[in-house]
mmCIF file of all heavy atoms in Angstrom:
data_model
loop_
_atom_site.group_PDB
_atom_site.id
_atom_site.type_symbol
_atom_site.label_atom_id
_atom_site.label_comp_id
_atom_site.label_asym_id
_atom_site.label_seq_id
_atom_site.Cartn_x
_atom_site.Cartn_y
_atom_site.Cartn_z
ATOM 1 N N ALA E 526 -20.853 3.174 -26.963
ATOM 2 C CA ALA E 526 -19.693 2.248 -27.352
ATOM 3 C C ALA E 526 -18.542 2.332 -26.494
ATOM 4 O O ALA E 526 -17.672 1.576 -26.624
ATOM 5 C CB ALA E 526 -19.361 2.847 -28.809
ATOM 6 N N HIS E 527 -18.510 3.374 -25.559
ATOM 7 C CA HIS E 527 -17.441 3.579 -24.584
ATOM 8 C C HIS E 527 -17.864 3.838 -23.260
ATOM 9 O O HIS E 527 -17.951 5.046 -22.775
ATOM 10 C CB HIS E 527 -16.549 4.639 -25.190
ATOM 11 C CG HIS E 527 -16.039 4.710 -26.598
ATOM 12 N ND1 HIS E 527 -16.711 5.339 -27.616
ATOM 13 C CD2 HIS E 527 -15.081 3.979 -27.221
ATOM 14 C CE1 HIS E 527 -16.087 5.090 -28.707
ATOM 15 N NE2 HIS E 527 -15.119 4.295 -28.583
ATOM 16 N N PRO E 528 -18.457 2.770 -22.563
ATOM 17 C CA PRO E 528 -19.141 2.989 -21.313
ATOM 18 C C PRO E 528 -18.111 3.127 -20.165
ATOM 19 O O PRO E 528 -17.949 2.328 -19.309
ATOM 20 C CB PRO E 528 -19.944 1.683 -21.211
ATOM 21 C CG PRO E 528 -19.187 0.664 -21.984
ATOM 22 C CD PRO E 528 -18.430 1.357 -23.074
ATOM 23 N N SER E 529 -17.416 4.257 -20.026
ATOM 24 C CA SER E 529 -16.523 4.561 -19.017
ATOM 25 C C SER E 529 -17.357 4.587 -17.772
ATOM 26 O O SER E 529 -18.457 5.092 -17.608
ATOM 27 C CB SER E 529 -15.748 5.896 -19.150
ATOM 28 O OG SER E 529 -15.045 5.922 -20.314
ATOM 29 N N CYS E 530 -16.657 3.836 -16.694
ATOM 30 C CA CYS E 530 -17.538 3.750 -15.366
ATOM 31 C C CYS E 530 -16.618 3.610 -14.213
ATOM 32 O O CYS E 530 -15.431 3.067 -14.371
ATOM 33 C CB CYS E 530 -18.445 2.568 -15.582
ATOM 34 S SG CYS E 530 -17.751 0.937 -15.748
ATOM 35 N N VAL E 531 -17.131 3.754 -13.043
ATOM 36 C CA VAL E 531 -16.502 3.276 -11.809
ATOM 37 C C VAL E 531 -17.291 1.984 -11.297
ATOM 38 O O VAL E 531 -18.562 1.899 -11.469
ATOM 39 C CB VAL E 531 -16.555 4.344 -10.761
ATOM 40 C CG1 VAL E 531 -18.050 4.884 -10.273
ATOM 41 C CG2 VAL E 531 -15.829 3.920 -9.457
ATOM 42 N N VAL E 532 -16.486 1.087 -10.874
ATOM 43 C CA VAL E 532 -17.169 -0.193 -10.430
ATOM 44 C C VAL E 532 -17.125 -0.223 -8.906
ATOM 45 O O VAL E 532 -16.005 -0.302 -8.277
ATOM 46 C CB VAL E 532 -16.480 -1.398 -10.972
ATOM 47 C CG1 VAL E 532 -17.063 -2.699 -10.584
ATOM 48 C CG2 VAL E 532 -16.314 -1.302 -12.417
ATOM 49 N N LEU E 533 -18.235 -0.177 -8.270
ATOM 50 C CA LEU E 533 -18.314 -0.166 -6.866
ATOM 51 C C LEU E 533 -18.882 -1.440 -6.228
ATOM 52 O O LEU E 533 -20.019 -1.954 -6.735
ATOM 53 C CB LEU E 533 -19.151 1.107 -6.377
ATOM 54 C CG LEU E 533 -18.808 2.376 -6.763
ATOM 55 C CD1 LEU E 533 -19.784 3.501 -6.385
ATOM 56 C CD2 LEU E 533 -17.387 2.751 -6.318
ATOM 57 N N PRO E 534 -18.265 -1.956 -5.162
ATOM 58 C CA PRO E 534 -18.933 -3.182 -4.439
ATOM 59 C C PRO E 534 -19.950 -2.645 -3.355
ATOM 60 O O PRO E 534 -19.507 -2.236 -2.271
ATOM 61 C CB PRO E 534 -17.692 -3.797 -3.888
ATOM 62 C CG PRO E 534 -16.698 -2.760 -3.657
ATOM 63 C CD PRO E 534 -16.954 -1.678 -4.697
ATOM 64 N N ILE E 535 -21.190 -2.726 -3.830
ATOM 65 C CA ILE E 535 -22.199 -2.064 -2.927
ATOM 66 C C ILE E 535 -22.961 -3.117 -2.157
ATOM 67 O O ILE E 535 -23.343 -4.193 -2.665
ATOM 68 C CB ILE E 535 -23.271 -1.166 -3.649
ATOM 69 C CG1 ILE E 535 -22.500 0.090 -4.349
ATOM 70 C CG2 ILE E 535 -24.429 -0.805 -2.925
ATOM 71 C CD1 ILE E 535 -23.392 0.793 -5.218
ATOM 72 N N ILE E 536 -22.958 -2.905 -0.797
ATOM 73 C CA ILE E 536 -23.642 -3.870 -0.030
ATOM 74 C C ILE E 536 -25.170 -3.389 0.256
ATOM 75 O O ILE E 536 -25.449 -2.289 0.777
ATOM 76 C CB ILE E 536 -23.019 -4.157 1.379
ATOM 77 C CG1 ILE E 536 -21.726 -4.687 1.142
ATOM 78 C CG2 ILE E 536 -23.863 -4.949 2.327
ATOM 79 C CD1 ILE E 536 -20.830 -5.014 2.336
ATOM 80 N N PRO E 537 -26.170 -4.106 -0.159
ATOM 81 C CA PRO E 537 -27.549 -3.639 -0.090
ATOM 82 C C PRO E 537 -27.910 -3.372 1.278
ATOM 83 O O PRO E 537 -27.595 -4.129 2.299
ATOM 84 C CB PRO E 537 -28.381 -4.798 -0.645
ATOM 85 C CG PRO E 537 -27.434 -5.554 -1.474
ATOM 86 C CD PRO E 537 -26.147 -5.475 -0.943
ATOM 87 N N GLN E 538 -28.640 -2.282 1.541
ATOM 88 C CA GLN E 538 -29.097 -1.860 2.958
ATOM 89 C C GLN E 538 -30.209 -2.735 3.361
ATOM 90 O O GLN E 538 -31.271 -2.896 2.537
ATOM 91 C CB GLN E 538 -29.263 -0.458 3.032
ATOM 92 C CG GLN E 538 -28.133 0.448 2.868
ATOM 93 C CD GLN E 538 -27.024 0.253 3.847
ATOM 94 O OE1 GLN E 538 -27.211 0.555 5.037
ATOM 95 N NE2 GLN E 538 -25.959 -0.348 3.380
ATOM 96 N N GLN E 539 -30.235 -3.205 4.525
ATOM 97 C CA GLN E 539 -31.408 -4.004 4.937
ATOM 98 C C GLN E 539 -32.428 -3.039 5.384
ATOM 99 O O GLN E 539 -32.253 -1.964 5.935
ATOM 100 C CB GLN E 539 -30.944 -4.992 6.264
ATOM 101 C CG GLN E 539 -29.841 -5.867 5.840
ATOM 102 C CD GLN E 539 -30.154 -6.806 4.724
ATOM 103 O OE1 GLN E 539 -31.285 -7.374 4.875
ATOM 104 N NE2 GLN E 539 -29.318 -7.047 3.773
#
Side-chain angles (χ1 to χ4, degrees):
H527 307 98
S529 295
C530 64
V531 59
V532 184
L533 301 177
I535 294 179
I536 296 181
Q538 296 297 291
Q539 300 300 315

